[in-house]
């Protein structure tokens, strides 16, 4: 017997957008703008913890996917957050989108942000804080080495996305990238790393100026770098699928 909630969902109009927000890719600014535009019709889905090996989606992927994820979409126009795209594989949507960031730059930003925030539910964050990991030690953790390829987008057919943007393009041209997302919104300035760590820009610049350290970081993050370059078509302004 088909559940009533499923019947209601399949008869409802498609969502305007399903957006996977990868941490430290400018997503907070987009989420704030969408929330102002859609209000309660935006589902902010931040419960999956894709990058945490101890989260339910990683410990029992099959069991996780059997949960009723579609029911949460009733009455919504968009869903946005840190979630595994496969949970909404059967959802109807006009646009599936995400933005990626060059992995070395992203891990530097995440490292400094995690020094100033509290995520006690996250096993990786607890290890990071308890062991006071250096940036290179942090980048070498399995959960960081494959944060994109093995965690956030594990078993995801990236061709399911209509748009895979590049954070560098978002920084350079907010209006063009957000227009590609179907949004006509003024830029909301939101840089949570700089807000939390005022010295972040100087420290990040010092890391990027250290050629030896950058080479080691690139070696540690090789899988994610190849993933990023493949799906953003580096320099090409984000890729569009043929779906």
């Amino acid at each position: 017997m088909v559940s009533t909630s499923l019947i209601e969902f399949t008869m409802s109009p498609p969502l305007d957008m399903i957006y996977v927000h990868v941490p430290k890719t400018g997503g907070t600014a987009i989420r704030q703008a969408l929330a102002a535009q859609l209000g309660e019709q935006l589902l902010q889905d931040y419960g999956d913890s894709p990058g945490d090996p101890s989260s339910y989606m990683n410990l029992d992927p099959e069991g996780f996917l059997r949960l009723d994820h579609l029911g949460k979409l009733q009455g919504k126009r968009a869903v946005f957050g840190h979630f595994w795209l496969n949970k909404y594989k059967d959802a109807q949507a006009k646009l599936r989108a995400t933005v990626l960031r060059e992995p070395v730059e992203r891990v530097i930003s995440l490292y400094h942000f995690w020094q100033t925030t509290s995520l006690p539910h996250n096993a990786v964050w607890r290890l990071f804080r308890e062991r006071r990991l250096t940036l290179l030690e942090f980048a070498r953790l399995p959960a960081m080495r494959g944060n994109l390829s093995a965690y956030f987008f594990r078993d995801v057919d990236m061709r399911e996305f209509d748009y895979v943007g590049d954070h560098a393009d978002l920084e350079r041209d907010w209006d063009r990238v957000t227009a590609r997302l179907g949004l006509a919104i003024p830029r909301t300035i939101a840089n949570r790393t700089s807000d939390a760590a005022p010295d972040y820009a100087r420290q990040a610049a010092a890391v990027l100026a250290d050629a030896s350290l950058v080479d080691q970081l690139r070696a540690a993050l090789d899988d994610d770098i190849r993933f990023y370059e493949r799906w953003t078509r580096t320099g090409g302004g984000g890729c569009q699928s043929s779906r």
Side-chain angles (χ1 to χ4, degrees), residues 120-140:
H121 64 281
N122 188 312
V124 183
W125 180 87
R126 294 198 303 271
L127 177 68
F128 162 76
R129 293 300 291 268
E130 290 166 5
R131 295 186 56 191
R132 298 183 180 181
L133 299 180
T134 66
L135 173 60
L136 186 55
E137 289 171 336
F138 180 63
R140 286 173 171 166

Side-chain angles (χ1 to χ4, degrees), residues 109-121:
S109 179
L110 189 63
Y111 178 80
H112 285 88
F113 181 65
W114 274 20
Q115 289 179 328
T116 61
T117 194
S118 179
L119 300 169
H121 64 281

